[in-house]
Each structure stands twice: as C-alpha cells, then as structure tokens.
Amino acid sequence: MNVREAIRADLAAVLELFRSMDWDRPWPRPEIGPEHLDGKLVLVAEDDGEIAGFAYGDLASHGHAHLNVACVRPENRRQGVASALVAEFAARALAAGSEHVTLDVDVTNEVGQLAWQRLGFTEYSKRLVAPAEALEARAGPVQAGESYASIHIQTDDTAAVEAAAAKYLPRFGGGEARVEGPLNGWVVLYSELTDRDRQARDRLASELSNATAAVVCTLAVEDGRVVRFVLYERGSVVDEYQSLPEHFGPLPPGDVVALGANPTVVSRLTGAEPARVRAVARTASSPDDLPPAEELLQQLAEVMGLEGAGRG
C-alpha cells in the first residue's frame, strides 16, 4: 500500500468516496465538489492501483493542523489504511511546524471515536447544536406577561401596616395600597405599584418589616410565568425563591442555587413543614417543568399559611 499526495486524476475517485460516507448530522448533507478540496492537503492510500482511502485537511490552521476527513472503503477497512493516512498527515503537519493535529467526530459515531482514541486522540472540546427556532424562542427577549403580588406581614396590627404603607409607598413611586386582615395571623397588602415594580415591592417589604418588627413575605407572579417569594426579618432578606432562576438572564451557578427555597428558614418563619416546602418550592429551567404560575403560587401560599395571596 502506498500513501501519496493526490493528483488531479484522483479527484473523481476521492469525491465518489467522500459522497459515500455516512451522514448523521441534524442538517442535510451538503453538495461536495472539487472546490471543497482547494487549498487542502489531500492524501490517498493506493492499493494495487486502486484508491483504498483518502484524508484531507489543513497542515497549519491557527497554530495546529486539522484533519477534516479520513475515509476508507468498507472492503479495505481493518487493514491499517486509516493509520497510514493519519501517520503521513501527521508527518507533513510536523514538517509544516504544527505540533498538534485536531479533528471532529460525531458523538453518534462510537466506532470512529474508539478508533481515534486508539491512535492517541483525546477529547478537548464539544460542538453543540440546537434548532434555530427553539433557540430564538428560548434565548430571545422575554415577553412580559401578567405580574401581580401580595405582601404578607406577620402581625394583627392592621393600623400599623396601613400607617407604614402610607409613609413609605409614596417614596417608592406612589399609588394606593389596600390592606386586608389579619388573615390567619398575617395582614396582607396589595398595590398596583408593587404588582409591576419588583424593586418597589422589595423596598416596601423591607421597610414594613422594620416598622412593624414583624416577619414579612412577598409572594408574586412575574411575567406570567415566574413565581417568587422573599422573606424578611428585621428588614433584611433571609430567604428568596424564584421558580425559574434564569428566566431574566443567565446567572452564576451559586446564584441559581441561592434562588431555591431554604425549607429550614421557611419553617422557622412561617411554621410550614420543611418536607412540604421542599416538595412544592421546586425550581426548573423551563415553565413546562412546573405547574402553571398561579397554581404554584397558591400551593406555596397554602404551605406557608398565607391567605389572600396573589391578585389584590
């Protein structure tokens, strides 16, 4: 068997073999023509005057050589043809100044992966694929849905809550507040401002916790899909939950974990059973993996004993 650089007379056989290769990509097989070999090193393995296999690639590409394709006719496999082609390609890469050779192999091609590993190739990266339509829907701008919230203050002093709301709400954007309760030991506050403005809601909840010396819990649906609660004690956040942690954008892994409810803290502040908190306060990457937002909000409210949760 002889391995040599291809000549023009070899191109028809090379392209015929190229087109016969298996194709297991998510997109259609492209048309292959002589132009795909222009500027590449094309090697052929010749056996008794017949081309048994070929390889082609770039000897110097961004500091390394890249082997685009190595293909052997089925009847010539397991005869050392691929090894001979790769050895010659590596020798020429070294002569051109490249210390490494890279190649791509489909994850579905288990036989090919094992063959390359036996020759000394190791995995250093992965190429990922996603349907463009699904990616646009998932990664594109979030379409705002309905948002609403309730703020629950663990007190029976409705007048104190009304006074604090009247004092602080104008500072955060104004609007009217409606106060109900106490309901099961909690006074509930609703306002149009805190329905639509998370920052105003959080600031008001903190001030209410300070002013009343009470535990405060905000419980909201945001963008029609995200369920969120925040627990305050002495004006500070002590636990936070968001059903879809990365709905508003990518987060560091630690922040994603932090947006899962802490059953021990929730139990201490609301009397909820930790096991029920764990069962209900789940997080996911897609709303399809959770109950509808309003249903999930009501489940959380039931676990924590928060009556009147949700829309005002």
Side-chain angles (χ1 to χ4, degrees):
M1 182 178 59
N2 177 43
V3 175
R4 59 173 174 80
E5 191 165 348
I7 59 176
R8 181 169 296 276
D10 299 321
L11 291 185
V14 167
L15 290 172
E16 179 271 326
L17 184 52
F18 201 167
R19 295 184 183 112
S20 71
M21 292 174 59
D22 292 336
W23 183 264
D24 195 20
R25 304 285 175 88
W27 50 88
R29 181 197 294 271
E31 291 295 323
I32 302 298
E35 67 276 8
H36 291 86
L37 305 178
D38 288 347
K40 308 282 188 180
L41 170 66
V42 183
L43 300 174
V44 294
E46 198 173 38
D47 185 26
D48 291 334
E50 299 291 333
I51 292 179
F54 80 95
Y56 85 93
D58 295 297
L59 293 181
S61 175
H62 304 291
H64 65 274
H66 185 76
L67 182 60
N68 291 93
V69 172
C71 180
V72 178
R73 292 190 185 278
E75 61 269 25
N76 294 108
R77 291 173 185 169
R78 299 184 181 277
Q79 298 174 17
V81 177
S83 297
L85 286 164
V86 172
E88 180 64 20
F89 186 87
R92 296 191 181 220
L94 280 169
S98 293
E99 296 184 1
H100 294 87
V101 176
T102 61
L103 58 80
D104 297 325
V105 58
D106 291 345
V107 295
T108 55
N109 185 0
E110 296 181 0
V111 173
Q113 291 182 69
L114 290 173
W116 295 125
Q117 288 166 7
R118 283 195 293 269
L119 287 175
F121 285 92
T122 58
E123 182 178 301
Y124 79 97
S125 70
K126 286 189 177 182
R127 178 176 292 183
L128 307 180
V129 63
E133 184 177 357
L135 189 61
E136 179 188 28
R138 186 177 181 86
V142 174
Q143 299 300 314
E146 184 182 13
S147 296
Y148 52 90
S150 51
I151 301 177
H152 303 256
I153 304 93
Q154 198 176 57
T155 180
D156 58 3
D157 192 345
T158 304
V161 173
E162 290 174 337
K167 178 180 178 180
Y168 293 110
L169 197 56
R171 300 182 186 180
F172 308 141
E176 298 294 325
R178 180 166 61 86
V179 177
E180 292 188 0
L183 302 174
N184 195 33
W186 299 76
V187 173
V188 189
L189 182 148
Y190 311 92
S191 81
E192 187 274 335
L193 175 65
T194 55
D195 278 348
R196 59 179 168 80
D197 188 331
R198 175 195 280 199
Q199 184 177 19
R201 183 194 320 140
D202 291 345
R203 293 175 66 191
L204 179 59
S206 176
E207 294 293 355
L208 289 171
S209 178
N210 265 327
T212 61
V215 171
V216 172
C217 180
T218 64
L219 190 52
V221 168
E222 297 178 344
D223 283 340
R225 287 172 283 184
V226 181
V227 178
R228 179 174 182 258
F229 74 69
V230 185
L231 279 162
Y232 297 82
E233 190 174 29
R234 299 183 184 90
S236 298
V237 175
V238 291
D239 193 34
E240 184 175 2
Y241 163 81
Q242 187 169 296
S243 60
L244 304 173
E246 296 188 286
H247 178 77
F248 299 102
L251 295 172
D255 290 353
V256 172
V257 173
L259 288 174
N262 185 324
T264 301
V265 173
V266 176
S267 176
R268 177 174 67 82
L269 297 181
T270 70
E273 296 179 11
R276 293 190 66 199
V277 175
R278 277 189 289 271
V280 173
R282 296 180 293 121
T283 60
S285 59
S286 167
D288 295 336
D289 298 327
L290 296 171
E294 172 64 21
E295 181 181 330
L296 178 56
L297 179 139
Q298 293 303 328
Q299 291 175 1
L300 288 167
E302 181 182 359
V303 168
M304 294 189 283
L306 303 177
E307 297 183 8
R311 296 178 177 84

